[in-house]
């Protein structure tokens, strides 16, 4: 007897209208935590798509009652994405799920998802073409386990009841058993409504026997105890600094450096103006340099704006902080108004500039040129990176690129060294000395480029582009550098430096990647990735060979998955975002072991950086108006030595850089030991 209700909703608590959705269907959630306006009740929508317009789900009225209506049709431009609305506890095991369903189109799949773990990991009970299908979904693999004929129409609701007991799934339609099958892939998961075509849903109910409810409660209590024990081992976030950002704040467009040549750390925030089409040709309109110590403005370049349109962007802005001339003070290297400029870090005054190159290529033959026509005579710079293709003792060359097609290398005197165009550049090329000659090769999207601008090899992939890249020695069984990338729907890959793909997992639209000592008891490094477009927000943890260890869907966007040296004990945590409910830091097993205090802090943007000088990381959280910086509430307990992992240099910052933290220990000076 199913006498214990785990969840139910008849949607009477909703007003008529859409559920929360991104009005712009933008890339904002790739690296910002964004709450879409509206009331979602106990449900969340894990699907986002740039091809969408309007809401995914809307509450409407049918026969005097509220129903939830799915609004989408199958889009051939997507990768089999199915509109999905999720509720419940992903630790549920055995239960009965019921819903009333009206398929407004009977020719394609609509139905109920059970043992839902993520939008690419679940079972689906789909109605399509007068049959019921039980489908196992494992990433891009969708296997029909069982099917049975069933009669239904677009004019009335049918009642679906799915019982999940151990490996067996049994489905009833209007009280009649229609199919039953066994599969052991998923033993836990919540429920979801889903459809490739418009459909209406009403009267959702999930129940179980009292014995099953008791077992679930015991498991939940044991998990809570285990999590509390874990959390007790970790320092808690303590507010260290707080700043008001005036009218010069921005979204995740920030750089850190030593602008005055002292130990004092400054941050520079950039605002911009959008031109021509969406955010393809952003132009920096304001830079503000601010002291971390005092919160005071050192200088300001351009004119600040309080408008969100000038503060928010879903791309990189072309600026970096770096001591390009090796005089002991960092400069700000930036591009604006078709000029590549070097600004004095102490004053913000321009010390040197050149005009950006002319657009000479046929716009119909290169990528990323909107409407296949050059909007401007000169190049609009999309991103900047400091590299070392000249083989000097320290990096002193400047790479600039447009959105997706061309990259150019200049020396520290802003003299062009070479340019490169071949297929796609990706978002943020990686510079690394692969052959040990003291000069950087450039890995850009799928291309390995020599230090003098020649194509060495390319991966056998001609669609999508690489979003993020990390390079290092992840696998102790391979005594060589490896390349790990996420490339949208081309997947997560580990590649050797000769261009051989060693491991590949098509796990959704791969968006972000990081590597760290997340599970120090395991061999090698662990690699974390997350998805964004279409099947949003699925986090994966892999071992050093690219084998999946676990996956999770924490039901929020903006997870930056950066490694955090929080304890100083050699174990990295993974930063999600700054939200009190959904954010914080998870450990290598996926448990949220550090949470942020409910103190009113901003949570749109997050960054990881050591600011107090103890080698442990601080967490910087900010939005347009305010910045909060958190440090640990207790000193490091490690005696005798310090954990100082090798991390991505701050002078190459980007919203499209993979993050890494390679283990390294040093002996403490005796006076501090």
């Amino acid at each position: 007897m199913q006498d214990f209700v785990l969840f139910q909703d008849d949607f009477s608590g909703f007003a008529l209208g859409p559920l929360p959705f991104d009005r712009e269907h933008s890339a904002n959630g790739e690296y910002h935590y964004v709450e879409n306006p509206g009331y979602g009740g106990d449900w969340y929508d894990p699907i986002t798509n740039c091809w969408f317009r309007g809401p995914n789900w809307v509450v409407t009225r049918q026969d005097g009652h509220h129903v939830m209506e799915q609004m989408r049709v199958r889009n051939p431009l997507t990768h089999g994405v199915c509109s999905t609305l999720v509720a419940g506890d992903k630790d549920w095991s055995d239960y009965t799920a019921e819903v009333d369903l009206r398929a407004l189109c009977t020719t394609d799949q609509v139905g109920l998802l059970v043992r839902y773990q993520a939008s690419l990991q679940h079972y689906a009970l789909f109605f399509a073409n007068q049959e019921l299908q039980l489908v196992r979904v494992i990433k891009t693999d969708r296997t029909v386990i069982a099917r049975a004929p069933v009669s239904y129409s677009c004019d009335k609701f049918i009642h679906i009841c799915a019982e999940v007991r151990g490996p067996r799934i049994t489905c009833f339609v209007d009280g009649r058993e229609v199919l039953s099958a066994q599969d052991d892939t998923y033993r836990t998961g919540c429920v979801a409504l889903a459809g490739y075509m418009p459909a209406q849903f009403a009267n959702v109910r999930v129940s179980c026997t009292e014995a099953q409810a008791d077992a679930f409660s015991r498991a939940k209590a044991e998990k809570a105890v285990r999590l509390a024990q874990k959390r007790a081992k970790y320092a808690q976030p303590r507010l260290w600094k707080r700043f008001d950002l005036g009218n010069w704040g921005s979204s995740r467009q920030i750089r850190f450096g030593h602008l005055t040549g002292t130990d004092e750390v400054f941050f520079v925030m950039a605002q911009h103006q959008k031109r021509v089409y969406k955010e393809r040709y952003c132009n920096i309109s304001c830079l503000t340099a601010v002291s971390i110590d005092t919160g005071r403005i050192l200088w300001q370049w351009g004119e600040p704006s309080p408008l969100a349109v000038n503060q928010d962007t879903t791309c990189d802005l072309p600026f970096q902080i770096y001591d390009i001339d090796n005089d002991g003070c960092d400069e700000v290297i930036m591009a604006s108004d078709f000029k590549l400029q070097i600004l004095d870090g102490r004053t913000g005054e321009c010390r040197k500039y050149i005009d950006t190159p002319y657009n000479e290529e046929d716009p119909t033959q290169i990528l990323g040129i909107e409407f296949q026509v050059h909007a401007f005579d000169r190049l609009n710079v999309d991103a900047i990176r400091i590299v070392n293709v000249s083989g000097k003792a320290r990096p002193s060359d400047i790479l600039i690129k447009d959105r997706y097609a061309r990259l150019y290398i200049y020396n520290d005197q802003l003299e062009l060294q070479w340019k490169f165009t071949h297929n796609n550049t990706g978002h943020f090329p990686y510079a690394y000395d692969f052959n040990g000659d003291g000069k950087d090769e450039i890995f850009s999207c799928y291309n390995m480029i020599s230090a003098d601008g020649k194509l060495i090899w390319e991966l056998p992939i001609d669609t999508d582009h690489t979003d993020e890249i990390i390079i290092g020695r992840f696998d102790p069984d391979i005594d060589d550098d490896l390349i790990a990338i996420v490339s949208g729907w081309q997947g997560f890959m580990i590649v050797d430096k000769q261009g051989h793909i060693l491991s590949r997992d098509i796990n959704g639209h791969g968006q972000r990647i990081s590597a760290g000592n997340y599970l120090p008891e395991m061999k090698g490094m662990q690699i974390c990735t997350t998805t964004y477009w279409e099947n949003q927000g699925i986090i994966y943890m892999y071992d050093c060979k690219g084998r999946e260890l676990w996956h999770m869907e924490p039901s929020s966007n903006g997870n930056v998955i950066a490694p955090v040296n929080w304890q100083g004990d050699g174990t990295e945590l993974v930063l999600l975002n700054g939200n009190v409910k959904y954010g914080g830091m998870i450990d290598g097993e996926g448990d949220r072991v550090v949470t942020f205090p409910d103190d009113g802090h901003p949570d749109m943007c997050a960054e990881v950086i050591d600011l107090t000088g103890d080698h442990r990381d601080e967490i910087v959280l900010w939005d347009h108006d305010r910045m909060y910086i958190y440090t640990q509430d207790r000193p490091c307990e490690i005696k005798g030595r310090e954990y100082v992992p090798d991390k991505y240099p701050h002078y190459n910052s980007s919203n499209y850089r993979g993050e890494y933290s390679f283990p390294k220990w040093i002996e403490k000076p005796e006076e501090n030991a």
Side-chain angles (χ1 to χ4, degrees):
M1 179 179 178
Q2 306 302 114
D3 49 13
F4 189 91
V5 177
L6 294 169
F7 175 84
Q8 62 182 2
D9 198 342
D10 62 2
F11 306 114
S12 60
F14 289 77
L16 297 185
L19 264 64
F21 72 102
D22 178 3
R23 264 63 174 171
E24 300 296 326
H25 298 282
S26 72
N28 216 18
E30 289 179 355
Y31 38 77
H32 299 97
Y33 174 75
V34 182
E35 285 192 67
N36 295 316
Y39 173 70
D42 295 319
W43 301 84
Y44 76 88
D45 180 353
I47 305 300
T48 184
N49 200 297
C50 64
W51 299 105
F52 289 171
R53 291 296 178 266
N56 300 339
W57 297 86
V58 64
V59 175
T60 187
R61 185 176 176 86
Q62 182 69 31
D63 295 332
H65 303 284
H66 283 188
V67 298
M68 185 66 70
E69 184 170 316
Q70 195 286 116
M71 303 279 288
R72 301 292 173 204
V73 299
R74 188 187 286 268
N75 188 336
L77 296 175
T78 65
H79 297 81
V81 63
C82 181
S83 287
T84 304
L85 194 62
V86 186
D89 193 316
K90 295 186 177 73
D91 288 331
W92 286 343
S93 179
D94 293 349
Y95 55 82
T96 297
E98 303 172 75
V99 66
D100 294 329
L101 165 68
R102 180 187 177 197
L104 299 177
C105 172
T106 61
T107 60
D108 209 340
Q109 295 170 319
V110 297
L112 175 68
L113 310 184
V114 295
R115 290 205 172 145
Y116 177 100
Q117 297 179 1
S119 62
L120 288 174
Q121 289 87 9
H122 56 260
Y123 296 110
L125 287 159
F126 277 145
F127 290 83
N129 290 314
Q130 303 303 306
E131 73 171 10
L132 176 62
Q133 305 165 353
L134 174 59
V135 182
R136 180 184 59 227
V137 177
I138 307 177
K139 299 173 185 170
T140 57
D141 180 17
R142 294 167 171 84
T143 303
V144 178
I145 300 171
R147 63 201 326 151
V150 63
S151 178
Y152 65 102
S153 79
C154 66
D155 298 320
K156 66 177 184 178
F157 283 88
I158 54 176
H159 184 73
I160 310 167
C161 177
E163 292 182 353
V164 288
R165 304 283 185 274
R168 180 159 292 279
I169 302 172
T170 305
C171 186
F172 302 81
V173 178
D174 290 335
R176 178 177 66 89
E177 182 176 331
V178 173
L179 62 75
S180 184
Q182 287 202 169
D183 189 87
D184 207 25
T185 303
Y186 304 120
R187 283 298 190 101
T188 60
C190 59
V191 299
L193 314 177
Y196 285 97
M197 298 297 284
Q200 293 177 340
F201 300 85
N203 303 315
V204 181
R205 187 176 190 268
V206 183
S207 59
C208 63
T209 66
E210 195 157 336
Q212 291 164 345
D214 288 343
F216 173 64
S217 295
R218 287 194 301 272
K220 195 173 185 68
E222 291 169 0
K223 181 178 180 180
V225 169
R226 179 176 62 84
L227 183 58
Q229 291 172 341
K230 274 189 172 186
R231 288 180 174 178
K233 298 177 182 179
Y234 288 93
Q236 296 302 303
R238 175 179 64 85
L239 183 61
W240 180 60
K241 300 278 186 180
R242 173 183 171 174
F243 307 123
D244 291 326
L245 302 184
N247 62 350
W248 44 267
S250 72
S251 60
R252 204 167 187 267
Q253 301 292 340
I254 193 170
R255 307 289 187 262
F256 296 88
H258 299 274
L259 297 178
T260 59
T262 67
D263 291 336
E264 186 175 7
V265 180
F266 294 82
F267 67 86
V268 175
M269 277 191 165
Q271 293 183 343
H272 71 289
Q273 290 184 299
K274 299 171 177 62
R275 300 190 295 193
V276 181
Y277 181 75
K278 293 184 177 179
E279 297 178 323
R280 294 294 194 265
Y281 301 97
C282 288
N283 186 54
I284 291 177
S285 56
C286 182
L287 295 176
T288 306
V290 182
S291 168
I292 289 284
D293 287 348
T294 66
R296 294 180 179 175
I297 295 176
L298 178 67
W299 52 260
Q300 193 167 72
W301 178 97
E303 181 178 339
S305 168
L307 300 177
V309 70
N310 300 128
Q311 298 168 333
D312 289 338
T313 182
T314 63
C315 63
D316 264 345
L317 292 180
F319 72 115
Q320 300 290 0
I321 297 178
Y322 181 63
D323 184 6
I324 193 71
D325 59 6
N326 201 22
D327 68 348
C329 293
D330 284 342
E331 287 75 48
V332 176
I333 302 158
M334 57 93 75
S336 179
D337 190 29
F338 312 108
K339 292 179 174 58
L340 177 60
Q341 307 178 52
I342 298 176
L343 307 185
D344 190 305
R346 292 160 293 197
T347 66
E349 295 177 356
C350 181
R351 290 169 50 175
K352 187 177 298 186
Y353 80 90
I354 58 167
D355 295 321
T356 61
Y358 283 110
N359 287 311
E360 298 173 336
E361 293 81 7
D362 181 349
T364 66
Q365 302 301 309
I366 56 177
L367 294 172
I369 307 299
E370 301 300 335
F371 315 116
Q372 296 191 309
V373 60
H374 288 302
F376 311 105
D377 281 359
R378 292 192 181 274
L379 186 83
N380 191 89
V381 180
D382 174 73
I384 291 175
R385 184 185 180 103
I386 308 302
V387 302
N388 186 7
V389 300
S390 57
K392 294 181 181 178
R394 62 191 295 275
S396 62
D397 304 311
I398 302 169
L399 180 154
I400 67 172
K401 62 180 286 291
D402 65 357
R403 184 66 172 174
Y404 288 122
R406 296 162 291 175
L407 58 87
Y408 304 75
I409 302 289
Y410 294 84
N411 64 17
D412 57 356
Q413 300 303 309
L414 301 185
E415 296 168 333
L416 180 65
Q417 303 301 292
W418 49 264
K419 60 183 285 190
F420 180 87
T421 303
H422 180 67
N423 295 337
N424 205 310
T425 62
H427 280 293
F428 195 60
Y430 201 108
Y432 195 83
D433 181 11
F434 282 94
N435 59 15
D437 67 351
K439 300 178 181 180
D440 285 340
E441 285 71 48
I442 308 294
F443 183 69
S444 177
C445 194
Y446 309 126
N447 304 316
M448 182 64 76
I449 308 165
S450 70
D452 57 357
K454 305 297 190 298
L455 180 65
I456 301 173
W457 53 257
E458 60 183 308
L459 294 178
I461 302 170
D462 58 7
T463 59
D464 221 316
H465 59 257
T466 295
D467 284 290
E468 293 192 348
I469 307 163
I470 48 178
I471 295 175
R473 302 200 171 193
F474 313 115
D475 185 349
D477 293 335
I478 300 177
D479 187 24
D480 209 345
D481 300 309
L482 298 174
I483 307 166
I485 60 177
V486 282
S487 302
W489 276 99
Q490 293 303 311
F492 157 59
M493 288 171 268
I494 297 178
V495 180
D496 69 17
K497 64 184 185 183
Q498 288 78 37
H500 304 118
I501 298 175
L502 306 181
S503 175
R504 188 175 186 181
D505 187 20
I506 311 298
N507 60 9
H509 180 103
Q511 186 65 46
R512 301 192 68 89
I513 189 169
S514 69
N517 209 21
Y518 298 131
L519 292 164
E521 68 277 7
M522 291 190 67
K523 180 172 66 174
M525 305 287 286
Q526 293 73 56
I527 300 173
C528 185
T529 75
T530 190
T531 63
Y532 185 66
W533 288 111
E534 298 172 352
N535 304 93
Q536 170 185 261
I538 307 173
I539 297 174
Y540 297 91
M541 187 67 75
Y542 296 90
D543 70 7
C544 62
K545 297 184 184 296
R547 297 174 297 208
E548 183 187 324
L549 301 174
W550 51 259
H551 58 259
M552 64 185 293
E553 185 181 274
S555 74
S556 72
N557 56 27
N559 295 311
V560 297
I561 65 166
V564 184
N565 175 23
W566 187 247
Q567 295 289 93
D569 62 357
T571 300
E572 308 288 343
L573 299 180
V574 180
L575 175 64
L576 299 181
N577 58 65
N579 187 256
V580 172
K581 181 178 180 181
Y582 299 110
M585 302 174 221
I586 60 174
D587 65 8
E589 295 178 323
D591 289 322
R592 202 160 62 111
V593 294
V594 177
T595 60
F596 291 107
D598 190 4
D599 57 1
H601 65 262
D603 56 14
M604 180 175 72
C605 306
E607 186 64 276
V608 179
I609 183 172
D610 172 25
L611 292 172
T612 64
D614 67 353
H615 300 298
R616 294 183 297 172
D617 289 321
E618 278 64 56
I619 307 297
V620 185
L621 304 178
W622 75 96
D623 58 15
H624 306 148
D625 304 313
R626 300 166 301 149
M627 175 183 288
Y628 283 47
I629 304 176
Y630 292 93
T631 190
Q632 296 80 10
D633 68 350
R634 67 197 72 166
C636 181
E637 298 176 353
I638 306 300
K639 304 299 182 184
R641 57 183 188 153
E642 290 181 298
Y643 184 60
V644 289
D646 288 325
K647 294 203 168 194
Y648 218 118
H650 300 308
Y651 60 76
N652 276 326
S653 186
S654 169
N655 286 325
Y656 299 101
R657 75 177 195 181
E659 301 288 354
Y660 57 79
S661 187
F662 290 102
K664 185 175 73 175
W665 291 87
I666 63 171
E667 296 300 317
K668 284 186 179 180
E670 288 188 13
E671 63 271 20
N672 296 326

